[in-house]
Amino acid sequence: MKRLIQLVFSIIICSVVASAQHYSIDTQQPRISLITCHAGSVMYELCGHTAIRIQANGEDIAVNYGLFEFQTKNFALKFLKGETDYRVGAYPFHHFLRHYLNENRRIVEQELNLTPQQSWELMRLLNENLLPENCIYRYNYVKNNCATKPINLIEQVVNDTITFSEPDFDGTENWTYRDEMYHFHKNYPWYQLGIDLALGSGIDYKLSTREKMFAPEALESMMRGATITDSLGNKIPIVKKETIIHKGVPAQLPPTPFILSPAFIFSIIFVITLMFSIKDIKKQKSTRWLDSVIYGIYAIASLFICFLIFISINEATSPNFMILLFSPLCFIPTICIWIKDCNKIVFYFHISNIVALILLLIVLLSGVQVSNDAVMPLILISLTRSAINIYISQCVAKKTK
């Protein structure tokens, strides 16, 4: 069945390419539109989706740069390494539409205001992209995706004369990539926490207007006020006509209650840790199982961070100063706290850990890298346990003298 689907898919692409190669300037000008499908409920759908619609010679085709297969061997590993390959495909528009109508998502069509020559040139470029040797491309979440690929081609056919407006959202003037992600992920705090831990300072610079359109819904908003310069030097709207194909309803999940947010849950864990720490001071004895659990979790998280920093080719994952919090050195207290002869090693770990956490706080407070709200209680948990262990070690040392 899988091979049959692939065969049918290939036949559709080839037929589109072949038919387009027979078009001529004398044929009726194709009607070309940007299609924006608004956010879905699944994490990779939170920014929406963009496709190109072509209506020409009785054909109605969707060109989709967002095709991928979860079944690809080692898909998750390749995604983390930044080696995810996406595919551009062309198929009947009603097939493309069906998926989003079934999910009752808002669908907006923006017909492009192109000359016949520009329309045919865009068709030619799309046909080149659809060729078997060109249809697979290296995906990048913010720089090479379903929204940036079409707009790059459109810019090419109008000789880079597009002037874009700001997205019609609040506070976009100083947006970074992380800020824009927050805008679309606001109801998914655990997902955003994962992004904030995985991606480093490379996404925390102020974006140009052009860079903000990596999110399909932002691109749709920016296209409304965008203009192009014609051959006479006049500024004309790039969108000839906007049509709401389907009103739909918001597909995102409702906001996560604050008591279920990572910031609240980690704050509760910090309070519990603080209670144990006060008790440890009174007993002058560290709760070893607590340290083993806390630093064990941090150590496991460090493996993920290290993989992204040192192995992933995604430039947004390095530098990542979260390595100062989730350090492989956390394996030292996780294991050595149970070995009596390793007390000195554990003591030096806690000193170095406090230094590392202070450096991390300086980085975060200076704005070099932006932190998630849930990270602060995680820092305080580690800082508290290191401080308590140092204090108890010094008290025990004084008693033995």
Side-chain angles (χ1 to χ4, degrees), residues 4-53:
L4 178 61
I5 292 173
Q6 291 175 337
L7 177 62
V8 172
F9 183 75
S10 299
I11 292 173
I12 292 172
I13 293 176
C14 291
S15 65
V16 172
V17 174
S19 62
Q21 288 173 343
H22 289 90
Y23 291 155
S24 67
I25 295 298
D26 297 329
T27 313
Q28 183 181 0
Q29 178 183 355
R31 180 176 181 267
I32 303 179
S33 307
L34 270 185
I35 303 296
T36 304
C37 305
H38 282 227
S41 58
V42 183
M43 287 184 293
Y44 60 81
E45 298 175 335
L46 295 181
C47 295
H49 183 56
T50 299
I52 294 178
R53 181 183 188 182

Side-chain angles (χ1 to χ4, degrees), residues 151-325:
I151 200 61
N152 287 343
L153 295 181
I154 295 169
E155 283 185 314
Q156 190 172 337
V157 301
V158 298
N159 298 318
D160 294 323
T161 62
I162 306 179
T163 301
F164 291 101
S165 61
E166 285 287 322
D168 188 20
F169 309 129
D170 293 333
T172 63
E173 293 80 6
N174 296 311
W175 260 6
T176 63
Y177 280 124
R178 204 184 302 269
D179 292 329
E180 190 162 351
M181 292 175 194
Y182 275 131
H183 176 84
F184 292 104
H185 303 164
K186 55 182 176 293
N187 290 354
Y188 294 71
W190 288 97
Y191 176 53
Q192 184 59 46
L193 173 63
I195 289 177
D196 288 338
L197 295 180
L199 302 184
S201 58
I203 62 170
D204 289 323
Y205 66 89
K206 182 179 177 181
L207 298 180
S208 67
T209 301
R210 177 64 177 75
E211 289 174 312
K212 294 172 186 173
M213 62 182 61
F214 81 89
E217 287 191 33
L219 173 59
E220 175 202 322
S221 175
M222 296 170 72
M223 289 290 285
R224 288 196 186 97
T227 61
I228 53 177
T229 304
D230 64 15
S231 58
L232 300 176
N234 300 315
K235 295 281 188 180
I236 60 174
I238 191 171
V239 175
K240 184 177 182 179
K241 180 183 177 183
E242 180 171 304
T243 304
I244 298 175
I245 295 177
H246 185 66
K247 290 185 178 180
V249 295
Q252 289 193 359
L253 298 175
T256 300
F258 179 68
I259 60 172
L260 297 179
S261 69
F264 179 81
I265 290 175
F266 293 158
S267 295
I268 294 298
I269 295 174
F270 167 64
V271 171
I272 294 172
T273 302
L274 197 59
M275 292 170 62
F276 272 98
S277 299
I278 293 172
K279 186 178 179 181
D280 288 351
I281 291 175
K282 293 178 179 179
K283 296 189 306 178
Q284 292 196 359
K285 184 178 181 181
S286 178
T287 304
R288 291 188 296 175
W289 69 263
L290 179 63
D291 289 335
S292 193
V293 169
I294 290 173
Y295 289 112
I297 293 172
Y298 283 32
I300 293 171
S302 76
L303 299 179
F304 176 67
I305 302 294
C306 286
F307 176 87
L308 293 175
I309 292 175
F310 300 111
I311 298 179
S312 175
I313 62 173
N314 190 330
E315 69 276 8
T317 61
S318 182
N320 186 354
F321 293 97
M322 287 297 117
I323 193 68
L324 295 172
L325 173 61

Side-chain angles (χ1 to χ4, degrees), residues 48-60:
H49 183 56
T50 299
I52 294 178
R53 181 183 188 182
I54 300 173
Q55 295 168 280
N57 287 6
E59 296 182 22
D60 193 355

Side-chain angles (χ1 to χ4, degrees), residues 52-109:
I52 294 178
R53 181 183 188 182
I54 300 173
Q55 295 168 280
N57 287 6
E59 296 182 22
D60 193 355
I61 299 294
V63 180
N64 184 0
Y65 282 86
L67 303 177
F68 65 94
E69 292 185 9
F70 278 126
Q71 292 80 13
T72 301
K73 186 177 180 180
N74 299 321
F75 178 85
L77 179 62
K78 289 180 179 179
F79 184 84
L80 291 174
K81 289 179 67 177
E83 297 178 350
T84 310
D85 288 331
Y86 271 45
R87 177 189 296 271
V88 55
Y91 48 96
F93 183 70
H94 66 272
H95 288 321
F96 170 85
L97 207 58
R98 183 185 304 156
H99 170 75
Y100 301 97
L101 291 175
N102 288 341
E103 294 188 350
N104 200 18
R105 288 160 63 176
R106 182 180 178 86
I107 305 169
V108 178
E109 178 177 20

